[in-house]
Amino acid sequence: DAALAENFGQGIVRTTKRTSQDASIRGITSQGFDVRDVHLDRGRFFLDSEYAMGTRVAVLGADVAQDLFAHESPIAQTMVMGQWPYQVDGVLQWVGDQTAGDSSQEDRSIFIPFKACAATFRVPATLTRSAPSGSDSAPSTFVHAAACRTSDGS
């Protein structure tokens, strides 16, 4: 059995040539790509050490990669979320129908390690914190309420 924990939200993402206003940013745990049943088009998924350390690396959905990098290879390129630089490690295969212009949630998402998302989008102490649905206790990781929330995807 595989399980997924994810924090997610919207944000502005910049490269040296382009900006995406409402990028979907998803912090995922190590089984996230398996649970979502997505596959790489190029590059690689995150290393175990990148998950553990919350390294600022990203795997892009196909639509986001095309939007941010057009005809350039995004692999090893830098993009900025908030004030933090992230290196692109991989690009996913299209999940939706590219020829019909029908992109899926995965195609429009930027995936980063769960801990990196939590560190990038920290919640101020004054905001209300809530537990994930079905939980009796508060989550151990809080992220910016406007940008990310912790959820249990099992």
Side-chain angles (χ1 to χ4, degrees):
D1 288 335
L4 162 69
E6 136 181 303
N7 40 23
F8 60 93
Q10 303 294 115
I12 297 172
V13 179
R14 300 180 317 273
T15 68
T16 56
K17 297 180 182 176
R18 295 175 175 245
T19 299
S20 180
Q21 293 296 322
D22 272 332
S24 178
I25 302 162
R26 299 185 168 279
I28 62 172
T29 53
S30 62
Q31 294 181 340
F33 294 113
D34 291 335
V35 170
R36 288 181 167 279
D37 193 29
V38 293
H39 307 281
L40 282 173
D41 180 52
R42 54 200 145 154
R44 64 172 176 83
F45 289 126
F46 307 133
L47 304 174
D48 289 340
S49 61
E50 292 170 333
Y51 283 112
M53 296 175 58
T55 305
R56 290 190 304 261
V57 291
V59 171
L60 307 180
D63 199 16
V64 171
Q66 188 173 14
D67 184 40
L68 287 174
F69 294 96
H71 303 292
E72 295 180 48
S73 173
I75 305 303
Q77 298 286 343
T78 299
M79 59 185 195
V80 178
M81 290 185 272
Q83 57 185 258
W84 301 104
Y86 279 77
Q87 179 179 300
V88 178
D89 280 353
V91 176
L92 298 177
Q93 292 177 356
W94 278 90
V95 176
D97 186 349
Q98 180 183 9
T99 56
D102 182 24
S103 58
S104 71
Q105 180 182 36
E106 287 81 4
D107 295 326
R108 296 183 307 270
S109 293
I110 297 170
F111 296 92
I112 62 178
F114 187 90
K115 287 182 179 181
C117 189
T120 299
F121 302 104
R122 291 200 183 271
V123 79
T126 57
L127 292 180
T128 303
R129 298 173 176 159
S130 61
S133 61
S135 173
D136 294 329
S137 63
S140 60
T141 303
F142 299 107
V143 291
H144 192 276
C148 292
R149 74 175 184 192
T150 303
S151 64
D152 180 1
S154 52

